[in-house]
Amino acid sequence: MGMSGWSVAVLAAASSLWLASGVSRERPILTAGGTQSIEILEARVASHPEDANALRELAQDYLEARAPGLAYNLIQQAPAAVRSDPRVTHVYARTLLDQGRAEEALAAEHRVLDACADGSCETWLIASATRRADILHELVQLGVEDAQAHPEA
């Protein structure tokens, strides 16, 4: 085999390795299972950005799809009135916790409890926020920021 034969053989081998490596394939951000409900909620939030229930449901779906960054950005970009809704703030606390930001999540849960102090919130929200605030308080006291980073510890 001459020099050009080796060049062709090396080029063919390199090309087949590149094709087999899967470099050109992209992974979807969200899994295919929940994207239909997410698409419907995204359209609802886009057309009614002041709808706190729709935003909370969409952020919750993002969290269930293991995309806390999407939930975080969604809540951060919402109007101030929506961000201050205790139900949205409660979901926001979970996004912070899922991102390993326990201290900020604890502060968010305290904001939920402060907003619900007058009894205007539903009992499930008060109970959930109280329970999560207690857990977050313990995590912060122990110095654990991201409970998922070293679950064996």
Side-chain angles (χ1 to χ4, degrees), residues 4-86:
S4 65
W6 278 106
S7 298
V8 170
V10 168
L11 183 60
S15 297
S16 53
L17 285 174
W18 179 76
L19 287 173
S21 70
V23 173
S24 61
R25 289 185 224 137
E26 294 181 8
R27 286 184 26 198
I29 294 174
L30 299 173
T31 58
T35 56
Q36 186 177 17
S37 66
I38 288 176
E39 288 173 3
I40 293 168
L41 285 169
E42 285 175 337
R44 202 164 111 198
V45 169
S47 62
H48 302 289
E50 73 288 344
D51 185 353
N53 284 329
L55 186 124
R56 181 189 56 78
E57 288 176 31
L58 179 57
Q60 189 70 40
D61 280 1
Y62 282 155
L63 290 170
E64 289 171 11
R66 299 199 183 281
L70 290 175
Y72 176 81
N73 287 335
L74 176 71
I75 295 170
Q76 284 291 324
Q77 295 172 5
V82 173
R83 281 195 319 265
S84 64
D85 184 292

Side-chain angles (χ1 to χ4, degrees), residues 52-139:
N53 284 329
L55 186 124
R56 181 189 56 78
E57 288 176 31
L58 179 57
Q60 189 70 40
D61 280 1
Y62 282 155
L63 290 170
E64 289 171 11
R66 299 199 183 281
L70 290 175
Y72 176 81
N73 287 335
L74 176 71
I75 295 170
Q76 284 291 324
Q77 295 172 5
V82 173
R83 281 195 319 265
S84 64
D85 184 292
R87 294 165 299 167
V88 173
T89 306
H90 185 60
V91 174
Y92 181 64
R94 182 171 165 215
T95 67
L96 293 169
L97 181 60
D98 284 1
Q99 291 183 327
R101 298 159 67 177
E103 259 184 85
E104 292 174 63
L106 178 60
E109 288 298 356
H110 282 297
R111 288 195 302 275
V112 171
L113 294 171
D114 290 345
C116 294
D118 62 359
S120 62
C121 299
E122 297 146 330
T123 54
W124 70 265
L125 179 60
I126 296 168
S128 182
T130 301
R131 191 190 80 181
R132 190 180 296 158
D134 291 344
I135 292 168
L136 288 168
H137 179 74
E138 291 296 322
L139 287 174

